[in-house]
């Protein structure tokens, strides 16, 4: 825990879930400032625009006063250097996340040696939760209120129904 450090919580957040929000909230208690970076994952085709993803995260965290939400296209390691962030915080759900996250952590360290990646163990109730699962449930008319805050539920169902 270091109250002088600026940390980054990156992700595609397509859409943000209770799992992400748990990690963001815990990071906000650990660091001076947390920047949630809505970024692109070259392996994923997002359903929501970057602006929509940013807005959804913002709507969910009105009380986290030391957290900012931004969209950034480019290398995360470069963004961290630009804003003086020295920590990247990510949630780890299961061993299945590990190899990919480990690869990203090592790559980011190579690109920006000043930045450390820290993994927070996901809370037990979010072990199985993913954005793609939320979208699948919404597209089949299921109830997503166990997985995302009420305040963005309609945004998600509207978008999924529009895509049908
Ligand atoms: O939520 P995700 O999809 O697991 O997040 C992955 C993300 C967006 C954090 C990652 O793809 C990323 O950092 N993208 C930005 C571009 C970049 O820096 N790529 C090199 C990562 S090693």
């Amino acid at each position: 825990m270091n109250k002088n450090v600026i940390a980054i919580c990156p992700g595609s957040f397509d859409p943000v879930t209770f799992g992400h929000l748990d990690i963001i909230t815990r990071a906000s208690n650990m660091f001076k400032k947390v920047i949630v970076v809505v970024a692109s994952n070259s392996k994923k085709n997002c359903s929501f625009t970057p602006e929509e993803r940013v807005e959804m995260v913002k709507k969910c965290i009105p009380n986290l006063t030391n957290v900012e939400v931004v969209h950034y296209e480019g290398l995360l390691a470069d963004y961290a250097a630009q804003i003086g962030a020295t920590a990247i915080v990510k949630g780890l759900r299961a061993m299945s996340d590990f190899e990919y996250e480990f690869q990203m952590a090592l790559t980011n360290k190579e690109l920006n040696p000043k930045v450390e990646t820290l993994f927070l163990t996901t809370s037990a109730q979010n072990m199985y939760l993913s954005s793609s699962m939320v979208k699948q449930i919404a597209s089949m008319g299921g109830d997503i209120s166990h997985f995302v805050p009420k305040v963005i539920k309609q945004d998600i169902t509207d978008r999924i129904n529009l895509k049908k």
Side-chain angles (χ1 to χ4, degrees):
M1 175 138 53
N2 190 324
K3 289 286 182 185
N4 291 317
V5 166
I6 299 175
I8 285 176
C9 273
S12 25
F13 304 106
D14 187 51
V16 67
T17 67
F18 281 137
H20 299 123
L21 294 167
D22 172 52
I23 300 297
I24 294 167
T25 306
R26 286 158 62 194
S28 81
N29 291 327
M30 295 168 71
F31 299 101
K32 178 174 79 174
K33 191 166 185 97
V34 172
I35 316 287
V36 175
V37 180
V38 174
S40 293
N41 181 338
S42 52
K43 292 185 179 156
K44 291 181 187 168
N45 276 326
C46 284
S47 302
F48 296 87
T49 66
E51 293 73 24
E52 288 169 333
R53 288 181 274 145
V54 166
E55 273 319 300
M56 284 191 284
V57 180
K58 281 185 179 172
K59 273 189 190 180
C60 296
I61 53 164
N63 301 325
L64 299 183
T65 51
N66 64 336
V67 179
E68 251 178 59
V69 190
V70 301
H71 165 227
Y72 183 76
E73 285 302 328
L75 287 174
L76 201 61
D78 290 345
Y79 183 69
Q82 262 174 46
I83 65 161
T86 50
I88 294 175
V89 180
K90 295 222 73 183
L92 262 194
R93 283 168 302 191
M95 282 308 285
S96 52
D97 283 344
F98 188 74
E99 198 171 338
Y100 172 59
E101 293 293 348
F102 197 64
Q103 190 183 16
M104 279 200 291
L106 290 177
T107 308
N108 283 327
K109 185 78 181 161
E110 196 64 36
L111 294 172
N112 177 352
K114 287 189 178 151
V115 80
E116 295 290 349
T117 298
L118 299 136
F119 294 112
L120 295 184
T121 313
T122 197
S123 299
Q125 70 270 25
N126 299 321
M127 280 286 286
Y128 57 90
L129 183 48
S130 70
S131 299
S132 53
M133 203 64 90
V134 168
K135 286 185 282 187
Q136 198 178 110
I137 293 166
S139 74
M140 292 175 179
D143 181 11
I144 55 169
S145 49
H146 299 287
F147 314 120
V148 302
K150 216 182 195 165
V151 72
I152 60 166
K153 211 177 128 180
Q154 198 61 44
D155 295 333
I156 297 168
T157 43
D158 285 353
R159 165 47 51 93
I160 300 294
N161 290 332
L162 199 71
K163 282 204 147 191
K164 274 184 182 172

PDB file of all heavy atoms in Angstrom, residues 126-140:
ATOM      1  N   ASN A 126     -17.125 -13.088  -7.468  1.00  0.00           N
ATOM      2  CA  ASN A 126     -16.908 -12.647  -8.861  1.00  0.00           C
ATOM      3  C   ASN A 126     -16.016 -13.593  -9.658  1.00  0.00           C
ATOM      4  O   ASN A 126     -15.647 -13.280 -10.790  1.00  0.00           O
ATOM      5  CB  ASN A 126     -16.284 -11.249  -8.863  1.00  0.00           C
ATOM      6  CG  ASN A 126     -17.165 -10.228  -8.198  1.00  0.00           C
ATOM      7  OD1 ASN A 126     -18.377 -10.268  -8.361  1.00  0.00           O
ATOM      8  ND2 ASN A 126     -16.579  -9.327  -7.430  1.00  0.00           N
ATOM      9  N   MET A 127     -15.700 -14.734  -9.098  1.00  0.00           N
ATOM     10  CA  MET A 127     -14.790 -15.694  -9.732  1.00  0.00           C
ATOM     11  C   MET A 127     -15.190 -16.054 -11.165  1.00  0.00           C
ATOM     12  O   MET A 127     -14.349 -16.220 -12.036  1.00  0.00           O
ATOM     13  CB  MET A 127     -14.773 -17.014  -8.938  1.00  0.00           C
ATOM     14  CG  MET A 127     -13.914 -17.018  -7.724  1.00  0.00           C
ATOM     15  SD  MET A 127     -12.182 -17.082  -8.110  1.00  0.00           S
ATOM     16  CE  MET A 127     -11.998 -18.782  -8.624  1.00  0.00           C
ATOM     17  N   TYR A 128     -16.458 -16.200 -11.370  1.00  0.00           N
ATOM     18  CA  TYR A 128     -16.975 -16.711 -12.649  1.00  0.00           C
ATOM     19  C   TYR A 128     -17.438 -15.581 -13.575  1.00  0.00           C
ATOM     20  O   TYR A 128     -17.874 -15.825 -14.691  1.00  0.00           O
ATOM     21  CB  TYR A 128     -18.179 -17.642 -12.370  1.00  0.00           C
ATOM     22  CG  TYR A 128     -19.244 -16.911 -11.602  1.00  0.00           C
ATOM     23  CD1 TYR A 128     -20.252 -16.231 -12.273  1.00  0.00           C
ATOM     24  CD2 TYR A 128     -19.186 -16.820 -10.212  1.00  0.00           C
ATOM     25  CE1 TYR A 128     -21.175 -15.489 -11.577  1.00  0.00           C
ATOM     26  CE2 TYR A 128     -20.102 -16.088  -9.509  1.00  0.00           C
ATOM     27  CZ  TYR A 128     -21.105 -15.427 -10.201  1.00  0.00           C
ATOM     28  OH  TYR A 128     -21.999 -14.665  -9.499  1.00  0.00           O
ATOM     29  N   LEU A 129     -17.363 -14.354 -13.099  1.00  0.00           N
ATOM     30  CA  LEU A 129     -17.991 -13.230 -13.799  1.00  0.00           C
ATOM     31  C   LEU A 129     -17.102 -12.663 -14.903  1.00  0.00           C
ATOM     32  O   LEU A 129     -15.915 -12.457 -14.706  1.00  0.00           O
ATOM     33  CB  LEU A 129     -18.297 -12.155 -12.738  1.00  0.00           C
ATOM     34  CG  LEU A 129     -19.013 -10.886 -13.133  1.00  0.00           C
ATOM     35  CD1 LEU A 129     -20.243 -11.165 -13.967  1.00  0.00           C
ATOM     36  CD2 LEU A 129     -19.391 -10.129 -11.866  1.00  0.00           C
ATOM     37  N   SER A 130     -17.688 -12.438 -16.074  1.00  0.00           N
ATOM     38  CA  SER A 130     -16.941 -11.789 -17.164  1.00  0.00           C
ATOM     39  C   SER A 130     -17.897 -10.918 -17.967  1.00  0.00           C
ATOM     40  O   SER A 130     -19.115 -11.160 -17.984  1.00  0.00           O
ATOM     41  CB  SER A 130     -16.298 -12.834 -18.079  1.00  0.00           C
ATOM     42  OG  SER A 130     -17.296 -13.495 -18.818  1.00  0.00           O
ATOM     43  N   SER A 131     -17.321  -9.932 -18.669  1.00  0.00           N
ATOM     44  CA  SER A 131     -18.148  -9.046 -19.500  1.00  0.00           C
ATOM     45  C   SER A 131     -18.851  -9.837 -20.594  1.00  0.00           C
ATOM     46  O   SER A 131     -20.017  -9.570 -20.914  1.00  0.00           O
ATOM     47  CB  SER A 131     -17.277  -7.962 -20.141  1.00  0.00           C
ATOM     48  OG  SER A 131     -16.676  -7.174 -19.157  1.00  0.00           O
ATOM     49  N   SER A 132     -18.160 -10.802 -21.175  1.00  0.00           N
ATOM     50  CA  SER A 132     -18.784 -11.561 -22.275  1.00  0.00           C
ATOM     51  C   SER A 132     -19.966 -12.388 -21.761  1.00  0.00           C
ATOM     52  O   SER A 132     -20.977 -12.524 -22.445  1.00  0.00           O
ATOM     53  CB  SER A 132     -17.760 -12.421 -23.011  1.00  0.00           C
ATOM     54  OG  SER A 132     -17.072 -13.211 -22.105  1.00  0.00           O
ATOM     55  N   MET A 133     -19.862 -12.885 -20.532  1.00  0.00           N
ATOM     56  CA  MET A 133     -20.976 -13.624 -19.934  1.00  0.00           C
ATOM     57  C   MET A 133     -22.177 -12.691 -19.737  1.00  0.00           C
ATOM     58  O   MET A 133     -23.316 -13.058 -20.015  1.00  0.00           O
ATOM     59  CB  MET A 133     -20.508 -14.189 -18.577  1.00  0.00           C
ATOM     60  CG  MET A 133     -21.286 -15.379 -18.112  1.00  0.00           C
ATOM     61  SD  MET A 133     -21.080 -16.760 -19.224  1.00  0.00           S
ATOM     62  CE  MET A 133     -19.660 -17.549 -18.507  1.00  0.00           C
ATOM     63  N   VAL A 134     -21.901 -11.476 -19.274  1.00  0.00           N
ATOM     64  CA  VAL A 134     -22.970 -10.496 -19.058  1.00  0.00           C
ATOM     65  C   VAL A 134     -23.692 -10.215 -20.379  1.00  0.00           C
ATOM     66  O   VAL A 134     -24.922 -10.198 -20.454  1.00  0.00           O
ATOM     67  CB  VAL A 134     -22.402  -9.178 -18.456  1.00  0.00           C
ATOM     68  CG1 VAL A 134     -23.424  -8.058 -18.504  1.00  0.00           C
ATOM     69  CG2 VAL A 134     -21.912  -9.415 -17.034  1.00  0.00           C
ATOM     70  N   LYS A 135     -22.902 -10.046 -21.460  1.00  0.00           N
ATOM     71  CA  LYS A 135     -23.512  -9.741 -22.765  1.00  0.00           C
ATOM     72  C   LYS A 135     -24.337 -10.927 -23.267  1.00  0.00           C
ATOM     73  O   LYS A 135     -25.399 -10.750 -23.837  1.00  0.00           O
ATOM     74  CB  LYS A 135     -22.416  -9.369 -23.779  1.00  0.00           C
ATOM     75  CG  LYS A 135     -21.853  -7.988 -23.510  1.00  0.00           C
ATOM     76  CD  LYS A 135     -20.872  -7.548 -24.568  1.00  0.00           C
ATOM     77  CE  LYS A 135     -19.537  -8.195 -24.392  1.00  0.00           C
ATOM     78  NZ  LYS A 135     -18.502  -7.671 -25.295  1.00  0.00           N
ATOM     79  N   GLN A 136     -23.819 -12.124 -23.022  1.00  0.00           N
ATOM     80  CA  GLN A 136     -24.548 -13.317 -23.468  1.00  0.00           C
ATOM     81  C   GLN A 136     -25.884 -13.444 -22.725  1.00  0.00           C
ATOM     82  O   GLN A 136     -26.917 -13.698 -23.343  1.00  0.00           O
ATOM     83  CB  GLN A 136     -23.679 -14.549 -23.206  1.00  0.00           C
ATOM     84  CG  GLN A 136     -24.108 -15.752 -23.998  1.00  0.00           C
ATOM     85  CD  GLN A 136     -23.178 -16.928 -23.722  1.00  0.00           C
ATOM     86  OE1 GLN A 136     -23.565 -17.885 -23.089  1.00  0.00           O
ATOM     87  NE2 GLN A 136     -21.943 -16.834 -24.175  1.00  0.00           N
ATOM     88  N   ILE A 137     -25.854 -13.217 -21.430  1.00  0.00           N
ATOM     89  CA  ILE A 137     -27.085 -13.328 -20.626  1.00  0.00           C
ATOM     90  C   ILE A 137     -28.093 -12.261 -21.083  1.00  0.00           C
ATOM     91  O   ILE A 137     -29.268 -12.557 -21.300  1.00  0.00           O
ATOM     92  CB  ILE A 137     -26.769 -13.186 -19.112  1.00  0.00           C
ATOM     93  CG1 ILE A 137     -25.933 -14.386 -18.655  1.00  0.00           C
ATOM     94  CG2 ILE A 137     -28.047 -13.084 -18.290  1.00  0.00           C
ATOM     95  CD1 ILE A 137     -25.271 -14.215 -17.301  1.00  0.00           C
ATOM     96  N   ALA A 138     -27.587 -11.022 -21.280  1.00  0.00           N
ATOM     97  CA  ALA A 138     -28.477  -9.929 -21.716  1.00  0.00           C
ATOM     98  C   ALA A 138     -29.080 -10.238 -23.074  1.00  0.00           C
ATOM     99  O   ALA A 138     -30.271  -9.995 -23.315  1.00  0.00           O
ATOM    100  CB  ALA A 138     -27.708  -8.616 -21.755  1.00  0.00           C
ATOM    101  N   SER A 139     -28.300 -10.819 -23.972  1.00  0.00           N
ATOM    102  CA  SER A 139     -28.807 -11.085 -25.335  1.00  0.00           C
ATOM    103  C   SER A 139     -29.873 -12.183 -25.335  1.00  0.00           C
ATOM    104  O   SER A 139     -30.654 -12.283 -26.259  1.00  0.00           O
ATOM    105  CB  SER A 139     -27.655 -11.464 -26.271  1.00  0.00           C
ATOM    106  OG  SER A 139     -27.225 -12.769 -25.970  1.00  0.00           O
ATOM    107  N   MET A 140     -29.890 -12.983 -24.265  1.00  0.00           N
ATOM    108  CA  MET A 140     -30.903 -14.037 -24.186  1.00  0.00           C
ATOM    109  C   MET A 140     -32.036 -13.656 -23.242  1.00  0.00           C
ATOM    110  O   MET A 140     -32.803 -14.508 -22.794  1.00  0.00           O
ATOM    111  CB  MET A 140     -30.249 -15.351 -23.769  1.00  0.00           C
ATOM    112  CG  MET A 140     -29.336 -15.867 -24.863  1.00  0.00           C
ATOM    113  SD  MET A 140     -28.454 -17.318 -24.364  1.00  0.00           S
ATOM    114  CE  MET A 140     -27.533 -17.647 -25.865  1.00  0.00           C
TER     115      MET A 140
END
